[in-house]
C-alpha cells in the first residue's frame, strides 16, 4: 500500500503551552487508524491540525507526498466528521448530503444521483426528504457520514462520531461503518475513548497521552503487550501494575484465604464490585488500587467480597524506567 499521510515532528502550542508534542506517524492508503487516549490529551487538536482548522507550530504534514501545512481546509482533500452531526437544520437530508457537491459546482442531476447512491448505502434513502430534527441520533450520524463520503476525501477524520449514541447502536454502527469505509476505499483516522471501538475500527492503533503517541501497533499487540506502564493503563487488557503488565487471560480472582506463594505468583488485593456478563460469559468487575479489571467468574465469589487477583510471575511483562518512561524489558 502507498503512503498517504505523513506527519513529521508535529507540535502545536496554545500561548506557549505545548498541546501536541513531536508527533510523527504515517498512514497507508486505505488504512484505518484509530487513536485512543484520555480526555484532554490532544486528540481533537490533532485532527483539527490535519484538517487545517488549526495551524501547526512546528513540523510537517504531507498528503500524497505534498506538504499541506499552508493549504486552507477546503484546499485539503480531508474531511472531519464531528461528535455531533452538525447537519444544517433548515435543509433536508438530501440537501445536507448534496451541499458539499453544490459548493464544488456539481450539476444538480449529478449531485442528487451521487447523494441518493450514498444514502442508499447508509440505508437512509427512504428518509431523504426528512429534516434533521425528524431523525434519531444514529440516523443523523449516518447522514453526516454520507455527507462526508460523497466528497470522496483522501482522508476521513472521525472525532468520536458515535459517542453520543447508546452502546448497542454504537456497536452495530461501527461494524457497518468500517465495512462501508473499506468498500469505498476511504483512508480513515478514528478517535475514540472506547477500547473495544478502537480495537475493532483500527488496522493499527495509536495510544496517545500528554500530546504525543506513546505506542503505535496492531490492536491485538498493543492491548495484550503494551510497551509502557502508561500505555498499559490506557489501553492494556489486563492487570496494569507499577512493576509490569499481566494479560487478562492470565489473571484469576480468588478468595483472600487462598493466597498463593509470593515466590511464584504476583498478586494484588481487590474487591468484587459487581457480578456481570460480557459476551455471554459471567465475569466479576474487581477494583484494586491502580484501577479495575473484568475477570472470568471461574469460581464462586460475591459482590463486595475482598479477593486476591493473581497471576504467575512468569506471565508478567516487566517495565523499567528508561528516559523518564517506563518501558517493556522483555
Ligand atoms: N483553542 C484552544 N486554546 C487553548 N487551549 C486549547 C484550545 N483547544 C484545546 N485546548 C487545550 O488543549 C488540550 C487538548 O484538547 P483536545 O480537545 O485536543 O483534547 P481531547 O483529547 O480531544 O479531549 P476529549 O477526549 O475530552 O475530547 C486541552 O488541555 C485543552 O484545554
Ligand atoms: Mg476531543
Amino acid at each position: 500500500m502507498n503512503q498517504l499521510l505523513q506527519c513529521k515532528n508535529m507540535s502545536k502550542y496554545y500561548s506557549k503551552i505545548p498541546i501536541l508534542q513531536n508527533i510523527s506517524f504515517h498512514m497507508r492508503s486505505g488504512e484505518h487508524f484509530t487513536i485512543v487516549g484520555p480526555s484532554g490529551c490532544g486528540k481533537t487538536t490533532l485532527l483539527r491540525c490535519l484538517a487545517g482548522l488549526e495551524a501547526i507550530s512546528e513540523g510537517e504534514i504531507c498528503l500524497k507526498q505534498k506538504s499541506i501545512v499552508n493549504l486552507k481546509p477546503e484546499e485539503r482533500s480531508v474531511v472531519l466528521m464531528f461528535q455531533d452531526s452538525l447537519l444544517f437544520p433548515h435543509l433536508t437530508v438530501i440537501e445536507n448530503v448534496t451541499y458539499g457537491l453544490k459548493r464544488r459546482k456539481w450539476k444538480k442531476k449529478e449531485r442528487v444521483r451521487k447523494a441518493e447512491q450514498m444514502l442508499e448505502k447508509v440505508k437512509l434513502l427512504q428518509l431523504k426528504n426528512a429534516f434533521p430534527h425528524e431523525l434519531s441520533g444514529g440516523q443523523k450520524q449516518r447522514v453526516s457520514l454520507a455527507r462526508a463520503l460523497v466528497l470522496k476525501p483522501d482522508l476521513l477524520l472521525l472525532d468520536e462520531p458515535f459517542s453520543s449514541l447508546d452502546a448497542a447502536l454504537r456497536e452495530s454502527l461501527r461494524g457497518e461503518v468500517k465495512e462501508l469505509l473499506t468498500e469505498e476505499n476511504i483512508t480513515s483516522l478514528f478517535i475514540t475513548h472506547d477500547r473495544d471501538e478502537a480495537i475493532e475500527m483500527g488496522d493499527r492503533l495509536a495510544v496517545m497521552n500528554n500530546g504525543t503517541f506513546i505506542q503505535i501497533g496492531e490492536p491485538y499487540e498493543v492491548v495484550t503487550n503494551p510497551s509502557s506502564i502508561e500505555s498499559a493503563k490506557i489501553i492494556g487488557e489486563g492487570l496494569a501494575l507499577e512493576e509490569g503488565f499481566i494479560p487478562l487471560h492470565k489473571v484469576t480472582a480468588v478468595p483472600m484465604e487462598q493466597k498463593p506463594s509470593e515466590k511464584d505468583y504476583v498478586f494484588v488485593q481487590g474487591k468484587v464490585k459487581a457480578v456481570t456478563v460480557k459476551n455471554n460469559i459471567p465475569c466479576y468487575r474487581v477494583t484494586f488500587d491502580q484501577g479495575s479489571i473484568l475477570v472470568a467468574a471461574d469460581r464462586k465469589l460475591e459482590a463486595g467480597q475482598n479477593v486476591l487477583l493473581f497471576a504467575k510471575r512468569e506471565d508478567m511483562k516487566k517495565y523499567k524506567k528508561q528516559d523518564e518512561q517506563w518501558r517493556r524489558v522483555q
Side-chain angles (χ1 to χ4, degrees), residues 34 101 117 154 156 169 197 272 274:
T34 52
L101 298 175
Q117 261 176 10
D154 285 329
L156 178 64
L169 184 57
E197 201 161 273
V272 178

Side-chain angles (χ1 to χ4, degrees), residues 117-132:
Q117 261 176 10
M118 199 51 78
L119 283 172
E120 181 147 30
K121 287 190 179 164
V122 297
K123 305 189 181 95
L124 276 183
L125 189 55
Q126 74 286 5
L127 286 174
K128 67 176 180 174
N129 294 319
F131 284 92

Side-chain angles (χ1 to χ4, degrees), residues 14 19 37-46 54 83 159-160 193:
Y14 284 123
I19 305 294
S39 184
C41 74
K43 303 180 296 295
T44 298
T45 306
L46 172 62
E54 298 284 349
Q83 196 169 358
D159 192 356
E160 305 198 44
H193 267 111

Side-chain angles (χ1 to χ4, degrees), residues 30-34 178 181-182 186-188 201-204:
E31 187 176 27
H32 305 302
F33 192 99
T34 52
K178 186 163 183 192
L181 294 178
T182 307
I186 298 279
T187 311
S188 70
M201 293 299 287
D203 301 323
R204 280 191 304 151

Side-chain angles (χ1 to χ4, degrees), residues 105-164:
K105 313 230 178 321
W106 278 44
K107 292 205 175 89
K108 183 164 183 195
K109 205 166 141 193
E110 276 303 294
R111 54 179 197 255
V112 169
R113 194 181 60 82
K114 183 79 198 159
E116 285 186 349
Q117 261 176 10
M118 199 51 78
L119 283 172
E120 181 147 30
K121 287 190 179 164
V122 297
K123 305 189 181 95
L124 276 183
L125 189 55
Q126 74 286 5
L127 286 174
K128 67 176 180 174
N129 294 319
F131 284 92
H133 73 269
E134 296 170 307
L135 304 179
S136 70
Q139 287 168 336
K140 279 188 209 161
Q141 284 305 58
R142 281 168 199 265
V143 177
S144 158
L145 183 67
R147 183 175 62 172
L149 291 182
V150 286
L151 297 173
K152 272 262 170 214
D154 285 329
L155 178 63
L156 178 64
L157 309 171
L158 302 107
D159 192 356
E160 305 198 44
F162 311 138
S163 59
S164 58

